[in-house]
Structure formats: structure tokens, C-alpha cells
Amino acid sequence: LSALSIIVHGGAKEIPPAKRRAHRDGCLRAAEAGWTKLEAGGTAVDALEAAIRVLEDDPTFNAGYGSDLNAEGEVQMDAGFMHGKELKSGAVAYIQGVKNPISVARRVFEQQEILLVGDGAYLFAKEFGAEICPKSALITEEKRGEWEQELKQASTVGCVVIDRDGNIAAGASTGGTGSNRRGRVGDTPMPGCGYYAENSIGGVAMTGDGEEIARVVLSKVAIDFLSQSGNPEAACAKAIKTLQQKVGGEAGCIMLDCNGKHGWHHNSRDMAVAYRTEDMKKAVAFTRKSEEAGR
Ligand code: ASP
């Protein structure tokens, strides 16, 4: 039997001091929600969905409720994940009017397709009884205000988890890059770009400049680094460095190897992260990598 492990993040970005606690608490709650599923015998997909739903429902994060608005002042979302056993994935992009895009991605995963977009994704969500809502119900006053002032505060949420059977799931959910063009889609719903998982190696989820991440297929690159070095911390650092060197840009990533050992790294100023492994009584959280050293 495999050791359980989970790691989540709240996005590569700058976190103002007044918002550090909310980021830490939100990530802790998400990690614990996933952990509860794992301990109850749930699958990696159950745990990933539970963790990401917590982050989507929390207006602190740019996903689900509280997503950034696109150029036209609407919320459009992308989410997806991959399962490391048969290299299966499921995702939605440019979806509007659903409360939890990750749960729609899960239903896509259970079908033949890997990605549904826009109206098609919405209709599919409606068909299986997902929680739908008016498009505007996902807009918070704070995000509307930021949009009016043309403040961009992009980011994504993500999760990587391993269950008792050694199955790894890795995924992400986002409201996009803030004031992005209607219909613009970044790395988040694409396997190999926003996330990747392979049971014999590990799983990874990305956040940051989506165009740059996608152009270098950064999640797959990161997993290849892990397979070479066997060291998730080093693989994450090397992936972010590769992005910087090849195309530039800001990003962050979280990773688990196939034994549940975690790694994370970011070149953005901050990134909230929480994780829990079997030797821990509860999850721990940080808002940037340098905070972890004193743990
Ligand atoms: N990667 C996301 C996107 O480009 C945004 C982010 O993570 O900051 O849609």
C-alpha cells in the first residue's frame, strides 16, 4: 500500500500582507479536505476534486467564485487534471456559469473526450446536474473593483495527490490571467502544460504565465526532470529555471513523486502552498518558499 500525500497551491503571485492569512487558511482547508477523502479510502481523483472545490469556493483565490474578470468584465474559467495510471485526463476551458469547473472536468475525464469548451462544456455540465449559476454569480465585489481599476491579479489553484493504491492525480483550476481576451485559454486545462501525472514517476501542477508555460510544455518537462533526478525539490527548481531561461515569465509549481515526497518552487514573489504527508498530524501552509526553511 502507498503512503498518502497531498499538496495544494493558491497561485503564483504577489500576496499583500493583509491577505497572507486568508491564503494560508484557504490552502490548509483544501489540503485537509483532500486528506479527509484519502483517509476515508477515497481515490486520488476524489481527493483532488474535494481540495480544488474548496479553493474554487473561496473568493481568496482566482478560480470558481472570486475569479478574475476577463476584458469584458465576465468570469470565464479553465480547469483540468490528469490521472497517472492510464495517463487519462479531463478538462474544461472557457466555461461560464458553473460553480465548480473541476467537477465538470471530472465528468469529462469519465468520458472519452479530454477537453470541452465554452457552451459545449456548459451544456455538458447541465446535463449531468452540475451546480450551475448565473454567470454573474461568480463575480465578487472586490474582483469587479479590481477590474474597474484595471488591476490584474492573476493566478490559478492546483493540487497533486497520491492515494493508497499509488494512483496520482494532478490538476488545476483558474479564472485566467485577469482582463484576458474573451476566449483566451492558457496552460491550465492542457495536459503536459498545466499539469501532468504518471504513477511510476509522480505528478505536477503549474501556475503562472500561461502562454509561456504552455510553449515549453512545462509540466511534462518537470516530470521528465523528476524521472531523471528522483528529487521533486530539484525537479521543481529546474523546471522554473528552464522556463525563465527559454521564454521568460513567472511561474510556480507543486509536485509529488511516486512515494509521496513533495517539492515546490516559484519565481513569483509569493505562492501559497499547503501539504500533508502520513507522518504529519495536520497540514502545514506557507505563503512563499523561503518561509519553509524554518519549519
Ligand atoms: N496559468 C494561468 C493561466 O494562464 C494563470 C495563473 O496561474 O496565474 O490561465
Side-chain angles (χ1 to χ4, degrees):
L1 285 181
S2 287
L4 306 179
S5 187
I6 187 167
I7 182 164
V8 305
H9 76 75
K13 59 181 169 182
E14 204 171 312
I15 306 174
K19 292 195 171 169
R20 289 192 177 272
R21 156 146 290 202
H23 279 77
R24 221 175 282 135
D25 289 353
C27 285
L28 283 174
R29 260 186 287 115
E32 294 294 1
W35 191 264
T36 302
K37 289 278 180 195
L38 290 176
E39 267 193 337
T43 66
V45 176
D46 293 336
L48 174 126
E49 183 186 11
I52 291 188
R53 282 179 69 102
V54 168
L55 298 166
E56 286 177 339
D57 290 343
D58 186 334
T60 304
F61 305 103
N62 175 24
Y65 178 63
S67 284
D68 285 359
L69 311 192
N70 68 13
E72 288 165 35
E74 291 186 347
V75 164
Q76 61 175 60
M77 302 166 290
D78 309 323
F81 71 97
M82 181 153 173
H83 189 276
K85 189 177 179 188
E86 290 164 323
L87 307 184
K88 270 188 79 181
S89 63
V92 291
Y94 185 43
I95 192 168
Q96 299 186 291
V98 302
K99 191 171 146 280
N100 295 104
I102 196 68
S103 295
V104 188
R106 182 184 184 152
R107 290 300 186 112
V108 175
F109 168 81
E110 287 161 1
Q111 322 280 313
Q112 291 300 313
E113 300 93 354
I114 65 160
L115 176 62
L116 291 180
V117 307
D119 281 1
Y122 176 77
L123 285 177
F124 173 76
K126 226 170 136 176
E127 257 167 43
F128 79 77
E131 289 157 89
I132 56 165
C133 58
K135 282 187 203 176
S136 59
L138 298 168
I139 300 178
T140 61
E141 238 166 75
E142 187 178 350
K143 289 294 180 181
R144 168 77 65 194
E146 284 176 9
W147 181 77
E148 278 163 1
Q149 292 171 56
E150 295 177 17
L151 291 177
K152 288 191 188 181
Q153 215 354 345
S155 64
T156 293
V157 302
C159 175
V160 185
V161 55
I162 178 163
D163 66 21
R164 278 274 177 250
D165 296 324
N167 286 315
I168 299 171
S173 180
T174 190
T177 51
S179 294
N180 53 197
R181 192 189 294 276
R182 181 181 178 82
R184 173 266 179 196
V185 176
D187 62 308
T188 304
M190 298 301 295
C193 302
Y195 51 84
Y196 199 80
E198 189 163 342
N199 278 2
S200 63
I201 309 170
V204 65
M206 289 289 161
T207 167
D209 295 330
E211 281 72 10
E212 282 70 25
I213 293 170
R215 281 158 59 206
V216 295
V217 206
L218 197 55
S219 283
K220 179 60 166 68
V221 163
I223 284 297
D224 289 344
F225 288 155
L226 176 64
S227 124
Q228 287 154 20
S229 71
N231 180 338
E233 282 292 347
C236 286
K238 197 171 169 189
I240 299 302
K241 198 167 164 203
T242 300
L243 177 83
Q244 234 165 339
Q245 286 173 343
K246 291 201 175 181
V247 291
E250 278 195 355
C253 63
I254 55 173
M255 183 182 272
L256 292 182
D257 72 9
C258 57
N259 301 309
K261 203 168 150 226
H262 51 77
W264 58 294
H265 200 80
H266 56 100
N267 67 352
S268 52
R269 205 186 75 167
D270 304 305
M271 181 168 81
V273 162
Y275 53 78
R276 183 165 173 184
T277 52
E278 216 131 22
D279 54 357
M280 296 165 68
K281 287 212 166 60
K282 56 182 182 19
V284 290
F286 310 95
T287 54
R288 65 169 65 136
K289 185 73 185 173
S290 58
E291 289 173 2
E292 193 186 29
R295 185 173 99 83

